[in-house]
Each structure stands twice: as C-alpha cells, then as structure tokens.
Amino acid sequence: RGLWIVDGAFLLEAATMLGAGDQARNGVATELTHQQADGRIQVMANYWKENGIVLWTCVRHARLTQDKAWLESVWPKLERIAAFIQTLRRQTLSNASPLDDGLIPPGFPDGGIGGVRVEYTNVYWNLLGLRAFVEAARWLGRDDQAARWQKEYDDFLAAFARAARRDMRTDSHGKRYLPILMGGEADKELPQRAQWAFCHAVYPGEVFAKNDPLVAGNLAMLEATEREGMVYGTGWDAAGIWNYFASFYAHAWLWQGQGRKAAHALYA
C-alpha cells in the first residue's frame, strides 16, 4: 500500500536492538534512495516530515550500532536534508498563509487528519530531526557545523513557540492544549485528533523540557478522553481507539517520569 517512513523508523530501531543491525542498515539505505536532487526525502508528496524522520533514523541507527564511520559515510546526504528543511522554512515567508511563517509549509498531517493543511505534525518531526542532526554533528566532532545548525534549530523552535502561543485552545474539560491544525481550522476537529506527532516530539524527539506546560496540557487533554485506558478518537475513527497510538502515548508519559501511567497505557 505504501512506504511509511515513520513506521519504518521504529521497526528498524527495534530490529537493531534485537541484533539485526546489518539488516536494519539495508532499510536505512533504502530510505536514503528516496533523496531528490534538491536534498529532500520524498516518498509521498507534501509529507514534509519524511525529512526529519530520516535524519532521526540515521542518527539513531548510528548511535545504536556505535558506528561513527557509517554516519560519516552518509553525512553529506544528511547535510542536504537539513538544508532542505531550511529551504522549507524560507518558503513559508512568501506563501499564501501567514500562519506557518518560520515553520513548515502546509502538508499532510496523517493519523486522523487528511489533506494538505496548515498544521503541526510536519513541524514536530522536522524539529525533531534537526535536533538529532545537531546532536550528531557534536558526536562526530563537527563543532562548527553543530553551532551553525544549532542557531537554525533555535530559530525554528522560537517560531514554533510563537505559533503555539497563538493557537492554544481550551477543551471542554478546561485543559489547555495545542491542536494539530493551525488557526480557525483547529476548531473543526476533536482536540485529540492526530496528536501522534506531538507524542513523538516528546519522545523520542526530546524537543520539550520536562516541565513544559504545553506537554502537561496536551497530555492532560489526551488523558481526559481515555476509554479503557486508551485515548479515544485520536486516529481516523472519531468513535474508536487507535491501539498503535497507545505506544506513542505511553512513551510520552514515561519520558515525563510517569512510569505507572505509561505501564497502564501499555497494558490497556
């Protein structure tokens, strides 16, 4: 049906953890064959998050295998991906919508929301990937490059913080949260809809500080929807449960130091 690079990221990670690092590397190499002339990774149109996902996947794979030489061998490709994320950010300053300025152009959210929308899932994953790229540059001793890209990441994160303050909402339980869609479109969707990428930004992305009120608010909003221990209505079925999301949700709680809550979600 299609190649879903975000699912591949976690499948390849699991395979590497289980000792199949060589086979997993073949999968990572396959992802890199989707790099275009302008540096982008593209399997699906307007799924801009593929760029951040592949950056994270390569860095995570190198860390798990402790193979700096391999990471150096693909580094030029990763540099081109990072540069394309920078290009995407510049495009937002001249496109039709002011809502995404400094972020990522409209794209396909996935996980419950379709179409090409002005939204945050692509923002979350490109932040996540760029952060991993900066950390990898430091790990390889590329300090000048790390410093340069750290400035880009900091500017990206600051643009996100400004947009998030603008787009915050309050749900019917009084919980403050950041919806996935920007602007007035957010009011047409359930608060919990397509929040998968937010969970990934918490972990494995580590984009937010542990005490960030945005994380606390979003998790409280999601928790308020739970039925039988799982978030209700976050995926494509507004009247159903997406059990895959329970893993993302549990990892976010665990990263917040809430191990018992994480275990409860996983058992559910």
Side-chain angles (χ1 to χ4, degrees), residues 67-134:
D67 195 339
K68 288 185 177 181
W70 174 82
L71 188 59
E72 287 280 11
S73 75
V74 299
W75 193 254
K77 295 178 184 291
L78 304 193
E79 288 177 304
R80 293 173 60 219
I81 297 172
F84 183 71
I85 293 173
Q86 190 176 50
T87 297
L88 287 174
R89 295 191 62 223
R90 289 172 179 163
Q91 289 175 6
T92 65
L93 303 178
S94 58
N95 66 9
S97 174
L99 295 173
D100 61 5
D101 284 2
L103 298 172
I104 298 293
F108 171 41
D110 196 15
I113 301 177
V116 176
R117 317 291 288 274
V118 188
E119 55 83 54
Y120 283 103
T121 67
N122 285 286
V123 174
Y124 284 136
W125 257 107
N126 281 298
L127 275 168
L128 195 166
L130 200 58
R131 185 181 186 279
F133 178 69
V134 172

Side-chain angles (χ1 to χ4, degrees), residues 163-232:
R165 286 193 293 271
R166 176 198 68 206
D167 288 331
M168 292 296 286
R169 297 288 194 276
T170 302
D171 71 5
S172 60
H173 301 280
K175 311 298 185 184
R176 292 287 288 170
Y177 73 97
L178 180 64
I180 289 300
L181 297 181
M182 297 182 190
E185 289 295 299
D187 300 319
K188 301 175 184 178
E189 291 284 356
L190 293 170
Q192 67 268 36
R193 210 73 187 265
Q195 289 283 355
W196 64 278
F198 155 72
C199 289
H200 291 169
V202 176
Y203 186 84
E206 303 177 38
V207 169
F208 302 104
K210 184 178 178 181
N211 61 351
D212 194 312
L214 187 153
V215 175
N218 273 26
L219 287 176
M221 174 274 292
L222 291 167
E223 185 176 30
T225 75
E226 284 183 16
R227 299 192 189 185
E228 298 182 41
M230 286 189 282
V231 174
Y232 188 77

